[in-house]
């Protein structure tokens, strides 16, 4: 984990979640982390965003199935899909890949060796599961979205606790 005291110019710790399409996993992770941030009144300290390694869904809201499943748990997802950019490595403190393919793509996109140190795997924050990646629910049934949200809630809670601890 990076040093959470290394705040950027806005004095906020900035986290970018990255998946393939930026319409299922990463916007859901963003919405869940934002929920924890709001719940703890830390909007002026921590910011979340998300992006995709594939830009084909640019401008779209998250997949309707993910929006429905997330809203059922109290997370309203309003992010619009965007492709990840090498500039994101300057703007964000932490860049979190949902699976190994996202991780490898980000490693190739990173503009410097230092920038690669910002890339982490979402599964590394899991405590309730031994999964090593967050599976892509795009081609799964509705139970797949629930399973992915279970993983994301677990990982986001632990990630939030770690960031909060580092900012104190
Ligand atoms: P995501 O899911 O990476 O979690 O947003 C996907 C969404 C769309 C596609 C693949 C994965 N797609 O191939 O269009």
């Amino acid at each position: 984990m990076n040093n959470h005291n290394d705040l950027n110019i806005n004095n906020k710790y900035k986290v970018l979640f990255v998946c393939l399409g930026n319409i299922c996993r990463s916007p859901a992770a963003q919405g869940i982390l934002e929920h924890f941030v709001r719940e703890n009144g830390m909007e002026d300290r921590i910011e979340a965003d998300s992006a995709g390694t594939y830009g084909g869904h640019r401008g779209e809201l998250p997949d309707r199935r993910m929006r429905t499943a997330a809203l059922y748990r109290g997370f309203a997802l309003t992010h619009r899909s965007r492709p990840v950019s090498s500039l994101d490595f300057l703007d964000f403190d932490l860049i979190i890949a949902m699976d190994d393919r996202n991780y490898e793509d980000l490693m190739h996109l990173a503009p410097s060796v230092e920038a690669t140190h910002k890339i982490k795997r979402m599964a590394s924050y899991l405590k309730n599961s031994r999964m090593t990646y967050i599976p892509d629910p795009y081609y799964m049934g509705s139970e797949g979205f629930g399973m992915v949200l279970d993983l994301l809630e677990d990982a986001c809670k632990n990630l939030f606790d770690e960031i909060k601890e580092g900012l104190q």
Side-chain angles (χ1 to χ4, degrees):
M1 174 60 63
N2 296 316
N3 180 353
H4 298 309
N5 297 316
D6 283 349
L7 296 176
N8 61 31
I9 200 156
N10 299 317
N11 206 31
K12 281 186 181 181
Y13 189 81
K14 295 183 68 173
V15 181
L16 182 70
F17 295 102
V18 176
C19 61
L20 179 61
N22 190 214
I23 55 168
C24 293
R25 293 165 292 176
S26 63
Q30 175 188 348
I32 294 167
L33 185 65
E34 285 172 344
H35 173 88
F36 288 128
V37 169
R38 268 197 309 276
E39 202 176 60
N40 286 267
M42 294 185 75
E43 297 97 320
D44 58 340
R45 309 291 310 279
I46 304 171
E47 188 174 315
D49 193 4
S50 63
T53 57
Y54 163 68
H57 293 282
R58 186 192 298 254
E60 293 178 20
L61 280 170
D63 184 286
R64 183 175 298 280
R65 296 165 296 173
M66 181 55 96
R67 272 188 285 147
T68 302
L71 195 57
Y72 188 71
R73 296 173 183 227
F75 310 115
L77 307 183
T78 58
H79 174 76
R80 295 278 176 173
S81 177
R82 72 166 179 93
V84 66
S85 130
S86 57
L87 291 177
D88 287 323
F89 287 88
L90 298 176
D91 202 19
F92 289 88
D93 301 288
L94 186 60
I95 299 183
I96 303 185
M98 293 294 147
D99 62 29
D100 291 345
R101 182 176 165 194
N102 309 147
Y103 185 88
E104 292 303 327
D105 288 345
L106 286 168
M107 281 295 200
H108 283 106
L109 189 64
S112 65
V113 172
E114 296 76 57
T116 64
H117 297 150
K118 295 183 173 183
I119 307 169
K120 306 289 172 193
R121 286 182 168 81
M122 189 64 164
S124 70
Y125 299 98
L126 291 172
K127 286 196 176 160
N128 300 335
S129 163
R130 300 179 76 168
M131 290 287 291
T132 57
Y133 65 98
I134 310 298
D136 184 350
Y138 194 64
Y139 298 105
M140 294 182 194
S142 59
E143 67 287 352
F145 286 83
M147 180 267 283
V148 165
L149 284 169
D150 283 345
L151 294 172
L152 295 178
E153 282 193 64
D154 178 22
C156 280
K157 173 70 173 69
N158 302 321
L159 169 65
F160 175 75
D161 287 347
E162 196 175 305
I163 296 172
K164 191 172 145 194
E165 177 90 17
L167 289 177
Q168 275 162 3

